[in-house]
Amino acid sequence: MQAVLEAQGKALHSLLAPRDGLGVFVPDPRVAPDNNTAERALRRAEIGRKTSFGSGSEQGAHLTGLLYSVYGTLQMWGLNSYAWTLDY
């Protein structure tokens, strides 16, 4: 019983602690209140990994990460990744 009360006390105490950054989106409209954009950016890579049954090796995982990074950057810039790959 004592351990439960101590755990509850720690949880309640953590609520009183200052939380710098949690309300930064209120006065600054440029800051999103959630991370949906980041989650959506990772979704395509995760679906690709699942449908290809992983990378198969550590080197394959590094190459896949590199390619996802390059193609994600191209997409952010609004470039055609297929045309860019052909030109490269």
Side-chain angles (χ1 to χ4, degrees):
M1 182 68 172
Q2 182 66 25
V4 172
L5 291 176
E6 287 179 16
Q8 289 175 347
K10 283 184 180 180
L12 291 173
H13 182 64
S14 72
L15 290 174
L16 298 175
R19 305 233 184 235
D20 296 333
L22 285 180
V24 74
F25 63 90
V26 175
D28 191 352
R30 296 174 298 168
V31 179
D34 54 33
N35 67 342
N36 288 342
T37 305
E39 294 288 337
R40 277 191 224 104
L42 294 172
R43 184 175 174 84
R44 183 175 285 167
E46 180 62 20
I47 290 172
R49 185 189 64 80
K50 284 184 177 182
T51 58
S52 66
F53 303 108
S55 300
S57 70
E58 190 172 336
Q59 289 176 333
H62 286 292
L63 177 63
T64 301
L66 177 81
L67 290 175
Y68 278 131
S69 176
V70 169
Y71 288 126
T73 303
L74 292 172
Q75 184 181 17
M76 282 177 23
W77 288 347
L79 298 174
N80 182 344
S81 59
Y82 180 75
W84 184 89
T85 304
L86 290 178
D87 287 344
Y88 180 75

